[in-house]
Amino acid sequence: QVQLVESGGGLVQAGGSLRLSCLASGRTFRNYAMGWFRQAPGKDREFVAGITWTGGATVYADSVKGRFAISRDNNKNTAYLQMNSLKPEDTAGYYCAARLSSSVWRISTELNDYDTWGQGTQVTVSS
């Protein structure tokens, strides 16, 4: 399995930006589709964004569409989540996840479809 480590979280004012990184090690990163999920206190973990192994297809939750952008650099074994125009309701622990997938178009938004998870990084947006 691939191992995942997130970084880049922090405290930011509403309207600000953060970029999260997810560094993968262990297995061949390009064999995996990647996803970002988040979990706020007292709430279920929810899908935020996903990307195919090629980076050619992406999908977003409606709540972040137009504000967040997922990307990846297979040469650096890293996936990214650029978060702009942050809102207090974006406050959560953010987790990257990997799913073994050769598809160039299909991206799962289902938590249970992902094989490996990082430990998470906290994002707090103040009003």
Side-chain angles (χ1 to χ4, degrees), residues 13-118:
Q13 288 189 331
S17 298
L18 283 174
R19 188 175 81 154
L20 306 183
S21 298
C22 175
L23 177 63
S25 62
R27 293 289 188 178
T28 305
F29 180 62
R30 65 185 69 238
N31 289 344
Y32 292 83
M34 298 298 295
W36 284 95
F37 292 75
R38 67 186 181 186
Q39 188 168 19
K43 295 189 176 182
D44 292 336
R45 193 168 296 189
E46 64 176 4
F47 174 81
V48 175
I51 189 167
T52 54
W53 73 271
T54 63
T58 58
V59 66
Y60 297 92
D62 288 343
S63 58
V64 306
K65 203 170 293 183
R67 299 188 298 122
F68 290 12
I70 188 171
S71 61
R72 66 188 294 159
D73 185 338
N74 286 344
N75 292 323
K76 295 183 178 180
N77 289 352
T78 303
Y80 303 97
L81 185 68
Q82 178 67 44
M83 306 185 295
N84 300 325
S85 302
L86 282 161
K87 305 175 181 179
E89 51 263 43
D90 294 318
T91 295
Y94 282 73
Y95 300 84
C96 69
R99 178 173 185 261
L100 196 63
S101 174
S102 60
S103 176
V104 297
W105 61 273
R106 184 180 182 275
I107 302 168
S108 175
T109 62
E110 297 297 323
L111 185 149
N112 290 336
D113 283 343
Y114 287 80
D115 310 303
T116 305
W117 294 81

